[in-house]
Amino acid sequence: MPRPLRTALAAVAVTLLAATAAGCGDAGGLEGAGATPTATSPAKLWPDLAPASSPAWDYDNGEAEAMHVTAPGGDIREVPPVDLVRREIAQHPDDYAGSKAPYRVTARRMAYCGKEPADSRCPLLKAYYRDMTGDGKPDLTLGFRLLPGNQTAVRVYTVEAGRVVQVMSNNDAVSGVELAGRSVIIHAPSDLADYEYRFQWTWDPEQKVMLLTHDEMLHIGRREHGRRDTGHPSTPSPSPSATP
């Protein structure tokens, strides 16, 4: 092979090898992400401000209520959910009894509950049984409509020494409810577009009640705008979940 041609081919080979090496280096290689913001510690404000000794709002948190109902064999599943709602109505007449009671229609419509087939006028929702207290036994998570408004009551009941005890009580304009571990998570609409309130109630074995452990407003993306009677102010506030 003539020397000039051999030299030309060698040059082409070197060029191809260099291009291949460059291509391999680009595939999967590390790239800089730019400058990293400098971490800053929290700045404590007003260090001389005297700390408050009591809450400004009643969070309706950390209270248990005996329902004066016995659970046969200590099994909450043996107690008809409708009996617990009727017991609550009896124990809280200011909320349910009388023409001016906020949930008077709920009390009247309980007459349609407990029948076969089920009556759509009954405000009681499906009951769910799950161990919420960690004792290995099922507890009852119950919901019922608070009428004539648009709120929903969410309750959790357990059994202590054979008697039913209400360990969580929350009234709100509910858009969804979830159970996760020992927690009840309640979603509630907000007047602020594309946001919702989210409250997490978690079982506390020392207090023996479910406590409001998370109270937050979260962005949920685009949704249809329009004001609704949510039961919440238009801006975030402490404890919009407190019972009226």
Side-chain angles (χ1 to χ4, degrees), residues 86 104-113 120-124 147:
R86 287 173 176 156
R104 59 193 179 277
V105 177
T106 293
R108 292 201 296 266
R109 289 198 180 180
M110 288 303 296
Y112 299 103
C113 297
S120 60
R121 290 170 290 184
C122 172
L124 192 61
L147 305 170

Side-chain angles (χ1 to χ4, degrees), residues 15 26 39 114-115 118 156 164 190 202 221 226 234:
T15 302
D26 291 341
K115 298 181 178 181
V156 176
V164 179
S190 166
T202 304
S234 58

